[in-house]
Amino acid sequence: MQRNWIGRSVGAEVDFKIDGHNDNIRVFTTRPDTLFGATYMVLSPEHPLVDAITTKDKKDAVKKYREEAARKSDLDRTDLAKEKTGEFIGAYAINPVNETKIPIWISDYVLISYGTGAIMAVPAHDDRDFEFAKKFNLAIIQVVEPADAEQTKLVKAGKLCFAGDGEAINSGSFTGLKTPEFKERIAKWLEERGLGKKAINYKLRDWLFSRQRYWGEPIPLVHCEKCGIVGLPESALPLKLPEVKDYTPPQTGEPPLAKATDWLKTTCPQCGGIALRETNTMPQWAGSCWYYLRYIDPQNNGRLCDGTKEKYWMPVDLYIGGAEHAVLHLLYSRFWHKFLFDIGYVSTKEPFKKLVNQGMILGEDGQKMSKSRGNVVNPDKVVADYGADSTRLYEMFMGPLEAAKPWSMQGVEGVHRFLQRVWRLIINEDTGNLNAAIADAKADEATTRLLHQTIQKVGGDVETFGFNTAISSMMILTNHLIKQSVLPKAVVEQFVLILSPFSPHIAEELWQKVGHTRTLAYEPWPKFDPELVKEAEIELAIQVNGKIKDNIVVPAQADDEQIKQKALASEKVIAALGGKQPKKVIVIKSRLVNIVV
C-alpha cells in the first residue's frame, strides 16, 4: 500500500510540439513503447497552456468545463467508475515519432498535481483512454500485440483494451520488439533527437502541514518586516501554546492564536526588531509521528530521549492498527524516524518491528457500521448492560483478530453467561464468600493435566493473537471445574491469573476474594509442566474399509502393535469383519486405525 501511495513510476518524458505555436507539451509516460498509438492528447483543466492554445470558437465551452472541474475533488475526478467527460480545445499536437497531427482535449481525469498535468492518450492500451475515445469517437490504433490469440482478436475488433506487455506492431522500425526492449530503445531514440528522456515520477506530493486552530503544536517561526520568516533558536524551544479563554477563530478568518496578542507580539531573534509569531499550528499527526520515542524518556528536559534508553527499547515490537493506517500514521512515522536515523538521533532504521491489522467489527447485518444504515452498536450501552469485561471478552471471542466480524448481541450474552459461571464457580452467591468446594487440596490427575494444557494454550495463543481460541480453552477448563466436588485453591488461583488479561475487573475481584491483598498485576504468569501437557490417553477412530465402526481409548505411549491388537479386539470391528482376515491394518498416530479387508 505504501509503495502504491508513493507511486514510483519509471518511464520517459516526451515533448509534443503544438501545431501553429512555439510551445511544447511535455508528458510523462510509463509506456513510451506505445507512442505510435497516441491518437490524441489530454491536458488537465488547470494546465497553464490551456488559455494560450485554445481556439476562439472553443473559449466559452472550455471556460465552462474548467469551472465545473474546479468544483470536484481529486478523488471524484479520478474515480475509475465515473463516466468520462471532456472538451476539445481546437488545437493540435504533433506526435514526435510519426509527425501525425493529434487533437488536444481537456478532461478532469487528468490532474495537474501528477506528472506534468498532460498525457498522451493511447486508447488501445489504457483503460481510461479507451473509455474516453469510445465516448468521443476518437481513433484507436493498436501498437502492442498480446501473446494470447483470443485477446488479440478482441483488441483488433476494438472490444478490448490491452494494457500488458507484448510485441510491438504498427510501430515503424521498432515493430517486432518485445515491450521491455522497446521501452529502452525508444527512450534512447527520443533522447538522441532532443524529443524526450528517461524519467522517474512519483504520485506522492507535499502534504499541507499547517492548521488554522488552537490545539496543535505552535510552529516556531516569527515574521519580521526586516528579516522575513525567521526560525526560533533552540534556546527558545519548546514554544508553548498561550493560555487563552477563547479558542474560536476571529471574525477576520485568522487562526485563533491571532487573538493572543501578548503572545503574538515578540522580537526577531535575528535583528532584535518587532516580529509576530506564526499563528498556524501543526496538524495532529505531527506529534503522533514520534510519541513512541518520548515514551522511552518522558521526563527528559534536555533531549527528546536518552540515547542509551533509545538503544535499549527501540524498535517498537508491535504496531496494531487498521489497514488505513498504512498510508497515514504508519507512513508518516517511518518518514520521521528515517530522518532522525539519517541525522544520527536514533539507532534503528525502522520504528516498528511488526504490524498487525485488526479486522473491522461490522453491524449485526454484516455490513460496515454507519448511521445511514442504522446498524451502529453503541459500546457505552453494551458496557452499561453487560459490563466492561463482557464487552471486552466478546470482542476477543468473536473470531481471529485480523478478520472482519459481525457484531452479535447473542454472542455478548453468551460470553456474559460464561463470566457468570466463572463467578459462581468461585463465589457462593448467597453469602458472597468463597464456595465451600474450594480447599487446600491436591488436584486429581485429570484436573492437573487440563490446567497445565490450558496454561500452555492461553499463553501460546496470546503470543499469536489467537484470543478467541484462548478463551475457548478457558471455557473448557471452567466446564471441567464446575463438575468437581473439591476445587483445589491453587488451581483456582492459576485459572484467575490466566483469565485476568482478558477480563481484568472480575479477575481482580476474584483474586481478592481468594485471599490476596496485593493486585494480581504483579503476579508472574503461571508456568506449565511439559510432561503434564502431554495426553495420558488418546481416542482413536477405527475404520473398516473406510467406514468408522468404533472408537477406542489407548495409552498415549502405546506402540502400533498394541493399538492394532486393541482395535481388532473390538466387538464392533469383529462383527464388521464377518470372519474375514484383514489384508492391512494401518495405524495413523493420534488419529485412527484403518483396517482393509
Side-chain angles (χ1 to χ4, degrees):
M1 287 172 72
Q2 290 183 0
R3 189 174 288 112
N4 291 339
W5 188 262
I6 294 168
R8 185 179 190 268
S9 301
V10 179
E13 286 181 349
V14 186
D15 289 330
F16 285 70
K17 290 179 182 176
I18 305 169
D19 191 39
H21 293 266
N22 293 323
D23 295 302
N24 288 339
I25 297 174
R26 175 163 287 188
V27 303
F28 171 81
T29 176
T30 59
R31 295 297 302 268
D33 58 297
T34 63
L35 260 166
F36 285 86
T39 58
Y40 64 99
M41 296 195 77
V42 185
L43 304 183
S44 160
E46 299 84 9
H47 197 287
L49 280 175
V50 173
D51 283 327
I53 65 176
T54 299
T55 55
K56 286 183 180 179
D57 60 319
K58 295 291 183 182
K59 291 281 187 188
D60 290 343
V62 167
K63 182 185 176 187
K64 183 182 175 185
Y65 185 83
R66 294 175 87 182
E67 288 171 351
E68 290 170 357
R71 289 193 285 270
K72 298 178 185 177
S73 70
D74 285 1
L75 202 61
D76 291 332
R77 286 172 58 167
T78 54
D79 183 358
L80 295 176
K82 84 175 186 70
E83 188 179 355
K84 299 294 178 286
T85 61
E87 193 68 46
F88 175 48
I89 68 172
Y92 290 84
I94 308 296
N95 189 327
V97 294
N98 55 17
E99 298 296 315
T100 305
K101 277 173 64 173
I102 57 176
I104 303 172
W105 289 65
I106 58 170
S107 178
D108 60 11
Y109 78 86
V110 178
L111 302 178
I112 192 67
S113 59
Y114 179 67
T116 63
I119 65 164
M120 61 174 212
V122 185
H125 306 293
D126 182 276
D127 289 317
R128 294 182 309 170
D129 299 344
F130 183 72
E131 289 173 24
F132 193 91
K134 284 280 189 183
K135 179 170 180 180
F136 294 105
N137 200 27
L138 296 163
I140 300 174
I141 299 173
Q142 183 191 359
V143 291
V144 182
E145 190 161 49
D148 182 77
E150 191 59 37
Q151 280 185 320
T152 301
K153 189 177 173 184
L154 291 170
V155 173
K156 283 181 176 174
K159 294 179 180 178
L160 175 71
C161 163
F162 175 68
D165 288 1
E167 187 175 296
I169 59 172
N170 302 322
S171 298
S173 62
F174 298 97
T175 296
L177 292 179
K178 300 293 184 187
T179 299
E181 185 185 354
F182 192 171
K183 284 182 178 180
E184 290 293 322
R185 294 266 291 271
I186 192 69
K188 189 177 178 183
W189 186 91
L190 290 165
E191 203 155 349
E192 286 171 351
R193 288 157 180 77
L195 300 170
K197 61 179 181 179
K198 271 188 179 181
I200 296 174
N201 203 11
Y202 296 88
K203 286 181 185 174
L204 194 66
R205 291 291 173 266
D206 290 342
W207 197 294
L208 187 65
F209 192 71
S210 59
R211 295 294 184 269
Q212 291 71 52
R213 57 188 178 214
Y214 172 81
W215 296 110
E217 296 89 340
I219 297 170
L221 299 173
V222 300
H223 299 263
C224 172
E225 283 188 15
K226 183 180 175 184
C227 306
I229 298 173
V230 181
L232 292 183
E234 195 170 333
S235 59
L237 301 178
L239 176 62
K240 294 184 178 180
L241 286 170
E243 300 251 349
V244 297
K245 291 181 180 178
D246 182 11
Y247 305 108
T248 59
Q251 295 296 318
T252 55
E254 293 177 287
L257 286 178
K259 293 197 293 188
T261 51
D262 291 343
W263 177 87
L264 183 65
K265 293 173 183 174
T266 185
T267 55
C268 173
Q270 203 158 290
C271 71
I274 297 171
L276 296 176
R277 295 190 189 280
E278 174 60 55
T279 56
N280 286 309
T281 56
M282 298 185 202
Q284 74 279 5
W285 52 266
S288 73
C289 285
W290 56 272
Y291 67 86
Y292 53 89
L293 291 169
R294 189 60 180 170
Y295 282 173
I296 293 170
D297 197 8
Q299 305 304 323
N300 193 327
N301 292 323
R303 288 175 62 86
L304 175 63
C305 68
D306 177 75
T308 305
K309 291 180 179 179
E310 185 274 329
K311 284 177 182 172
Y312 175 81
W313 285 106
M314 289 300 293
V316 175
D317 293 281
L318 177 65
Y319 180 112
I320 295 185
E324 71 280 0
H325 283 217
V327 294
L328 296 172
H329 177 261
L330 180 62
L331 185 61
Y332 303 149
S333 291
R334 292 187 67 216
F335 279 151
W336 285 50
H337 193 91
K338 284 176 177 294
F339 164 71
L340 291 171
F341 177 79
D342 287 347
I343 64 171
Y345 207 92
V346 296
S347 60
T348 63
K349 285 186 179 180
E350 292 285 351
F352 311 117
K353 261 188 189 177
K354 183 177 181 179
L355 168 71
V356 173
N357 293 140
Q358 84 274 25
M360 185 178 289
I361 295 181
L362 308 172
E364 293 202 69
D365 57 359
Q367 301 292 314
K368 185 177 178 180
M369 288 191 197
S370 72
K371 290 178 183 177
S372 59
R373 288 194 184 99
N375 63 350
V376 175
V377 176
N378 186 341
D380 291 345
K381 187 176 187 314
V382 181
V383 170
D385 293 344
Y386 295 96
D389 277 345
S390 294
T391 308
R392 172 192 178 96
L393 197 65
Y394 173 63
E395 286 183 340
M396 288 185 273
F397 189 56
M398 290 172 78
L401 178 66
E402 296 90 347
K405 307 163 278 279
W407 187 264
S408 165
M409 287 312 301
Q410 285 185 320
V412 179
E413 289 171 9
V415 166
H416 184 62
R417 285 196 297 273
F418 162 66
L419 288 178
Q420 288 177 319
R421 286 202 307 277
V422 170
W423 183 264
R424 290 195 298 269
L425 172 72
I426 301 171
I427 305 299
N428 183 306
E429 288 193 288
D430 294 330
T431 65
N433 298 321
L434 285 182
N435 272 330
I438 296 176
D440 288 320
K442 188 179 179 182
D444 60 34
E445 186 186 345
T447 301
T448 303
R449 197 172 291 279
L450 183 57
L451 173 67
H452 283 255
Q453 288 169 347
T454 306
I455 293 169
Q456 181 197 39
K457 175 71 176 159
V458 173
D461 285 348
V462 166
E463 291 294 329
T464 58
F465 312 107
F467 305 122
N468 55 324
T469 51
I471 294 164
S472 294
S473 67
M474 286 189 281
M475 289 176 170
I476 292 168
L477 178 60
T478 302
N479 291 338
H480 172 84
L481 294 177
I482 283 172
K483 297 171 187 172
Q484 307 306 306
S485 56
V486 176
L487 277 177
K489 187 179 178 185
V491 172
V492 170
E493 287 175 332
Q494 289 188 296
F495 172 52
V496 170
L497 286 175
I498 61 172
L499 175 67
S500 64
F502 298 83
S503 295
H505 304 91
I506 190 173
E508 190 69 61
E509 186 79 11
L510 290 171
W511 188 248
Q512 291 186 22
K513 292 278 188 183
V514 173
H516 297 277
T517 55
R518 190 177 76 157
T519 173
L520 55 66
Y522 299 116
E523 294 298 320
W525 184 256
K527 289 184 169 62
F528 65 87
D529 184 335
E531 288 303 314
L532 289 172
V533 165
K534 296 174 184 175
E535 290 284 356
E537 295 181 321
I538 52 173
E539 188 175 21
L540 302 173
I542 314 298
Q543 288 184 345
V544 177
N545 285 349
K547 293 182 180 178
I548 293 177
K549 297 297 180 181
D550 199 5
N551 290 291
I552 59 169
V553 175
V554 297
Q557 286 77 33
D559 60 27
D560 287 4
E561 189 56 39
Q562 290 172 319
I563 293 170
K564 284 181 187 178
Q565 294 304 321
K566 183 147 189 179
L568 292 170
S570 161
E571 290 183 10
K572 291 179 181 177
V573 171
I574 292 169
L577 291 174
K580 296 177 184 176
Q581 288 299 312
K583 277 187 182 179
K584 283 184 183 176
V585 179
I586 304 160
V587 176
I588 301 173
K589 274 286 187 189
S590 305
R591 284 181 57 202
L592 60 85
V593 180
N594 191 17
I595 300 170
V596 182
V597 178

